Amino acid sequence: MADVAQKKIYKYKKVLSNPSRWEVVLKEIRTLVDMALTSPLQDDSINQAPLEIVSKLLSENTNLTTQEHENIIVAIAPLLENNHPPPDLCEFFCKHCRERPRSMVVIEVFTPVVQRILKHNMDFGKCPRLRLFTQEYILALNELNAGMEVVKKFIQSMHGPTGHCPHPRVLPNLVAVCLAAIYSCYEEFINSRDNSPSLKEIRNGCQQPCDRKPTLPLRLLHPSPDLVSQEATLSEARLKSVVVASSEIHVEVEHTSTVKPALTASAGNDSEPNLIDCLMVSPACSTMSIELGPQADRTLGCYVEILKLLSDYDDWRPSLASLLQPIPFPKEALAHEKFTKELKYVIQRFAEDPRQEVHSCLLSVRAGKDGWFQLYSPGGVACDDDGELFASMVHILMGSCYKTKKFLLSLAENKLGPCMLLALRGNQTMVEILCLMLEYNIIDNNDTQLQIISTLESTGVGKRMYEQLCDRQRELKELQRKGGPTRLTLPSKSTDADLARLLSSGSFGNLENLSLAFTNVTSACAEHLIKLPSLKQLNLWSTQFGDAGLRLLSEHLTMLQVLNLCETPVTDAGLLALSSMKSLCSLNMNSTKLSADTYEDLKAKLPNLKEVDVRYTEAW
């Protein structure tokens, strides 16, 4: 019986290898399919052979009309119900999806084929063209009038109507298709780069800093050790953008570097393994502003939306979180604002999920690698807010088994600035974090402790929680009675209102060194600065502090010794007022609108001036 079937297949193979008229060929294909379906002997060789024959026929005859294509697809459709299409046939199906996405063949014939692939495929690595076909099929659905609604209904059909999907292979297969599609959006640019990521980096996430970096010019060649507080001396080094282009993608690269605050704390004998390593922030890498071409942009939008849909299913969320924990996206995607902004929805879903198996996936898979927690924290490459998502991630992690000294120590070492800024704005989670840092003696530096206390006392909820803490630990109250801090650094992105709130929360009569570098303060904050009688060093690097503020400072802070105005919008009109500040011994006017005449005037009227930086000005 097997010999008879094989002979028939050989006969059809011979007939179809030399096609004459296509109507005859189509009739022969239908007969071949009927023979395979009705054969008493049903095995892979009988069912796959007709598909292989048709696949070869199509590959050798590329000049067929669209209608002939569709007729052949419809003819072999019955065989596809229980068999995966061979690779060459997948290529043909992909071409059809791209060229005729609105064809009824896509919906009526391809849908059950793709459903079978997603439910039963075990390894796309062995049959990558099945993955490509699935990818093109979904893009074809997205091209229909209803677009994403059709895709959404398809995803719903794959999950099923119940609360738990009955098909365990559907989710990993869908995620594999999404990852491949998203990678393809950036592939042309990745391949054009000398330092393109390896396959392992692509699979595991690519967050390591680039080895090949252009030399960064120093903005301060001889900075005074007193010019800027230790926490912010080189907190940011900024460069003008460099534009790199390919035919589809335009990339704007900006290099940043960060230095961690120097905090010390006793780690204790906590036994929780590797938690601090999971939370540690790895060195910052170059960030890129990427613009995709129209087709790549549509593809990206479709597949990120699918990831968002997958995260909405409670039963799929644990596995999805686990699959995405290694950050399996190229660094170009992580540097693309549109991608990280859209993916933020998925990360929020993980952060809202009370199950530890879900929200623990926000942390990195191993020490030395970034996790989603780092990428979406303030200062992270994907952060597009002032820390709202960061606060919700910390809240869910603190509510789990992470309320430990190691967790607090990692936050103090890497994210103290954002924690303080959010607490200053009344975020209850961050208020609790700061209280716990005090309670667990995480921070040894007295000035930093006093700054935390002032931050807590600046809001109602913070004041209440701090008073409760003081009732338990009277020595904290004693610390505050000794006077305010001598050094203070405001977190980056702080505003005039944040500074006003902080300075109104307690005594700052002892404050000698204040760093507002890289914050959003303006001249409006000067009215608060002039109330600091002991202030000797003021750092306004890269703020919006202008001439009006300088004039006010010059009238009141006559004892100021060190002033950093690097990269501020000040002009001669404000700088001339500094001539009354006879105590100035160090003045940084790098990258301002200083003129040569004003510089000469200041040198003549400030006898104690020993260190001056006028680079990138007219006086240079």
Side-chain angles (χ1 to χ4, degrees):
M1 192 175 294
D3 290 340
V4 173
Q6 291 293 347
K7 285 179 181 178
K8 287 184 178 179
I9 289 173
Y10 179 76
K11 171 197 162 189
Y12 286 112
K13 189 174 182 180
K14 190 173 181 180
V15 170
L16 293 173
S17 63
N18 295 299
S20 52
R21 299 201 321 273
W22 278 100
E23 55 269 23
V24 175
V25 170
L26 186 61
K27 183 179 178 182
E28 293 290 344
I29 290 174
R30 287 173 180 152
T31 308
L32 172 62
V33 170
D34 287 340
M35 183 277 297
L37 291 173
T38 56
S39 172
L41 182 67
Q42 290 292 317
D43 61 19
D44 288 342
S45 63
I46 298 298
N47 289 312
Q48 282 292 122
L51 294 177
E52 298 284 353
I53 293 171
V54 173
S55 179
K56 185 180 180 187
L57 176 70
L58 292 170
S59 65
E60 293 174 353
N61 296 271
T62 56
N63 58 345
L64 299 179
T65 66
T66 303
Q67 190 58 52
E68 287 169 341
H69 279 181
E70 294 199 355
N71 289 339
I72 292 172
I73 293 172
V74 171
I76 63 174
L79 283 179
L80 295 171
E81 291 180 8
N82 297 305
N83 299 277
H84 288 333
D88 288 342
L89 203 54
C90 282
E91 289 270 335
F92 174 68
F93 288 173
C94 288
K95 186 168 182 269
H96 194 82
C97 287
R98 286 191 292 267
E99 294 178 355
R100 298 207 64 197
R102 297 171 184 270
S103 164
M104 288 307 296
V105 165
V106 172
I107 299 294
E108 294 179 356
V109 179
F110 290 168
T111 297
V113 178
V114 172
Q115 286 176 332
R116 186 178 186 281
I117 291 171
L118 290 173
K119 288 177 182 177
H120 301 291
N121 174 68
M122 296 303 293
D123 184 5
F124 275 133
K126 294 178 179 177
C127 41
R129 290 184 188 178
L130 286 180
R131 181 177 60 199
L132 184 61
F133 168 47
T134 306
Q135 179 181 325
E136 293 293 346
Y137 164 79
I138 292 174
L139 288 175
L141 294 186
N142 196 43
E143 290 294 319
L144 300 177
N145 290 337
M148 188 45 64
E149 283 302 311
V150 179
V151 175
K152 186 175 181 179
K153 287 179 180 176
F154 174 73
I155 299 295
Q156 288 174 342
S157 74
M158 294 309 304
H159 179 276
T162 60
H164 290 273
C165 178
H167 307 289
R169 293 301 310 163
V170 166
L171 177 67
N173 283 335
L174 277 172
V175 172
V177 171
C178 289
L179 297 182
I182 291 170
Y183 180 78
S184 72
C185 296
Y186 304 93
E187 192 167 18
E188 180 181 349
F189 175 69
I190 291 170
N191 292 340
S192 71
R193 294 186 57 175
D194 291 337
N195 58 345
S196 57
S198 66
L199 183 60
K200 184 178 180 182
E201 285 177 314
I202 292 164
R203 286 175 177 165
N204 296 337
C206 188
Q207 301 84 44
Q208 298 305 316
C210 301
D211 294 330
R212 306 176 66 177
K213 294 183 180 179
T215 305
L216 304 184
L218 295 176
R219 304 305 292 269
L220 290 174
L221 296 180
H222 304 288
S224 163
D226 297 325
L227 190 60
V228 188
S229 66
Q230 287 294 326
E231 291 82 4
T233 302
L234 293 174
S235 65
E236 292 188 21
R238 297 180 178 178
L239 277 182
K240 291 181 180 179
S241 301
V242 181
V243 176
V244 184
S246 73
S247 61
E248 276 278 325
I249 305 166
H250 303 281
V251 181
E252 192 173 296
V253 184
E254 178 182 294
H255 295 276
T256 61
S257 64
T258 57
V259 178
K260 292 185 293 184
L263 299 174
T264 57
S266 170
N269 296 318
D270 240 319
S271 59
E272 186 159 337
N274 298 325
L275 180 59
I276 187 170
D277 295 329
C278 290
L279 287 169
M280 290 293 281
V281 176
S282 18
C285 62
S286 61
T287 59
M288 295 163 280
S289 178
I290 296 179
E291 183 181 346
L292 299 180
Q295 181 57 41
D297 196 62
R298 284 195 297 273
T299 300
L300 181 70
C302 174
Y303 280 98
V304 174
E305 196 65 30
I306 290 175
L307 288 176
K308 290 160 72 173
L309 291 173
L310 299 180
S311 72
D312 284 334
Y313 289 95
D314 288 342
D315 61 321
W316 275 352
R317 203 175 300 129
S319 295
L320 179 64
S322 178
L323 289 167
L324 297 187
Q325 185 179 16
I327 312 186
F329 301 104
K331 57 189 171 186
E332 284 77 10
L334 299 175
H336 187 194
E337 185 179 354
K338 177 179 178 179
F339 173 75
T340 54
K341 191 171 184 178
E342 291 296 318
L343 194 69
K344 184 177 180 180
Y345 177 87
V346 178
I347 307 306
Q348 284 174 324
R349 297 294 280 156
F350 295 163
E352 294 165 0
D353 198 295
R355 292 169 290 186
Q356 185 185 338
E357 61 181 318
V358 176
H359 60 245
S360 64
C361 292
L362 295 170
L363 303 176
S364 57
V365 289
R366 66 175 185 272
K369 285 186 69 69
D370 280 352
W372 296 114
F373 180 85
Q374 284 80 19
L375 295 188
Y376 279 93
S377 295
V381 69
C383 183
D384 64 350
D385 56 30
D386 286 337
E388 288 79 6
L389 177 56
F390 167 67
S392 64
M393 289 191 289
V394 170
H395 174 76
I396 194 70
L397 291 170
M398 285 292 291
S400 188
C401 63
Y402 301 109
K403 190 180 277 190
T404 66
K405 219 168 186 180
K406 287 186 176 182
F407 183 89
L408 296 170
L409 177 62
S410 66
L411 290 178
E413 288 184 335
N414 301 296
K415 300 295 178 185
L416 183 60
C419 288
M420 292 178 68
L421 181 58
L422 289 166
L424 195 60
R425 295 175 178 175
N427 185 279
Q428 187 161 343
T429 298
M430 292 306 156
V431 167
E432 180 186 355
I433 289 290
L434 294 186
C435 284
L436 287 170
M437 286 181 183
L438 294 175
E439 187 169 3
Y440 284 95
N441 294 318
I442 295 297
I443 297 168
D444 289 340
N445 185 287
N446 276 1
D447 283 338
T448 307
Q449 287 180 342
L450 288 168
Q451 185 174 348
I452 288 175
I453 292 170
S454 300
T455 300
L456 291 172
E457 293 203 319
S458 65
T459 63
V461 61
K463 194 170 185 178
R464 184 171 62 254
M465 293 183 71
Y466 176 65
E467 286 173 354
Q468 293 171 355
L469 176 60
C470 286
D471 290 339
R472 300 193 298 272
Q473 296 188 332
R474 301 310 309 172
E475 61 270 19
L476 284 176
K477 205 68 175 176
E478 187 62 31
L479 174 68
Q480 194 177 16
R481 285 199 190 100
K482 292 177 182 177
T486 58
R487 302 171 70 91
L488 182 66
T489 301
L490 210 65
S492 63
K493 295 190 178 181
S494 298
T495 63
D496 294 328
D498 296 325
L499 177 64
R501 197 178 300 118
L502 181 63
L503 294 180
S504 65
S505 64
S507 172
F508 288 90
N510 294 337
L511 189 64
E512 296 180 357
N513 186 321
L514 175 62
S515 175
L516 303 176
F518 309 109
T519 64
N520 296 328
V521 299
T522 67
S523 293
C525 75
E527 61 182 274
H528 303 290
L529 300 179
I530 61 177
K531 298 174 184 177
L532 301 172
S534 302
L535 195 63
K536 295 178 182 177
Q537 301 177 29
L538 178 61
N539 182 6
L540 294 166
W541 186 7
S542 194
T543 64
Q544 291 303 306
F545 196 90
D547 293 338
L550 273 189
R551 284 192 286 266
L552 194 57
L553 293 186
S554 66
E555 294 175 10
H556 295 84
L557 297 181
T558 55
M559 301 305 292
L560 200 67
Q561 297 175 4
V562 179
L563 179 61
N564 187 343
L565 298 171
C566 179
E567 295 182 344
T568 58
V570 295
T571 66
D572 286 347
L575 291 168
L576 280 170
L578 298 179
S579 59
S580 64
M581 303 177 78
K582 305 300 183 183
S583 297
L584 275 177
C585 58
S586 179
L587 179 60
N588 188 334
M589 297 175 285
N590 184 323
S591 303
T592 63
K593 295 179 180 178
L594 171 72
S595 69
D597 290 342
T598 298
Y599 178 45
E600 293 300 323
D601 188 67
L602 287 175
K603 283 197 297 183
K605 293 180 179 178
L606 296 174
N608 294 317
L609 201 59
K610 296 181 179 64
E611 294 185 12
V612 186
D613 190 341
V614 294
R615 285 171 299 154
Y616 309 107
T617 68
E618 185 185 307
W620 189 25

